[in-house]
Amino acid sequence: MKENKIKCLIIMALCCDLGLFSKRLIAPAANVLTDALHIPGGIGTSFSLMFLVVAVGIIPRFWCGTIMGAVQSLIALSLGMVGSMGALSPIGYIVPGFVIDCVMWATKRLELKTDYGAVLANMLAAASASLTANLIVFRLSGIVLALYVAVALTSGAVCGVLGSQIISRLNKTKLTEIGKDKKNEKEYGNYCIDNHCPAGVNGGAGDSAFCHQD
């Protein structure tokens, strides 16, 4: 159990860093498109949120995304990466993380495929980040706001597909075992990642993915 918790923390820390700093790497290319559309952004945020979705996809615990968003906000504040939101930038990190938690939890409760959950979570998290930034800073309205949110949803869907592929590949490794504990079973109920279960569980044929039982 202790080893699993350490693995969870390592993966969460890694995804926090990748999500935070990857946005800086693709910002120049993303700004070319957003400047042409005359909107503040949205593409880089969608890409950075993908790493939070991946972490929640392989660590199925409800507050995982919210905690990572809070940690990212603290790192951003300490390094001066606050952007246009200034001291209110933590809201822009925590809100999308919470949205990811809610969407991934709901898709698992509804027994939908992890791929669908990852795409939907990335889309709605990107949209929530855009709306939060607009509420705090930009105050856009009308067609410009609709275009801003539409770009966030579209880029979120693309990054969500990429994230779902990463989750699918990671689910074939022993990383999926880190969420296999009693607390996690109570929160998420009975489901199988990618619709596969180990031999003898819910009729599964036996593979590397795991299945929770109530």
Side-chain angles (χ1 to χ4, degrees), residues 60 105 108-109 111 179 181-192 202 210-214:
W105 177 84
K108 286 179 172 63
R109 279 294 184 183
E111 297 183 355
D181 56 53
K182 293 297 182 182
K183 180 182 178 181
N184 198 42
E185 290 174 8
K186 292 179 180 179
E187 289 181 357
Y188 283 87
N190 182 22
Y191 71 93
C192 302
N202 286 356
F210 66 89
C211 182
H212 292 282
Q213 290 183 306
D214 291 328

Side-chain angles (χ1 to χ4, degrees), residues 53-165:
V53 173
V54 170
V56 177
I58 61 177
I59 306 174
R61 300 183 182 185
F62 184 80
W63 293 106
C64 181
T66 306
I67 292 173
M68 287 191 293
V71 172
Q72 282 187 332
S73 68
L74 293 176
I75 296 175
L77 286 173
S78 64
L79 297 179
M81 300 167 59
V82 293
S84 55
M85 287 194 287
L88 296 178
S89 61
I91 300 176
Y93 288 96
I94 296 173
V95 170
F98 180 70
V99 170
I100 292 172
D101 281 330
C102 292
V103 174
M104 296 295 281
W105 177 84
T107 54
K108 286 179 172 63
R109 279 294 184 183
L110 295 173
E111 297 183 355
L112 299 177
K113 290 186 66 176
T114 306
D115 293 351
Y116 299 151
V119 174
L120 187 60
N122 217 131
M123 289 178 63
L124 295 182
S128 68
S130 298
L131 291 173
T132 301
N134 183 68
L135 180 64
I136 297 175
V137 181
F138 303 122
R139 305 298 175 87
L140 303 175
S141 60
I143 296 177
V144 179
L145 176 59
L147 181 60
Y148 182 30
V149 176
V151 169
L153 287 170
T154 304
S155 58
V158 174
C159 294
V161 171
L162 178 59
S164 68
Q165 294 301 310

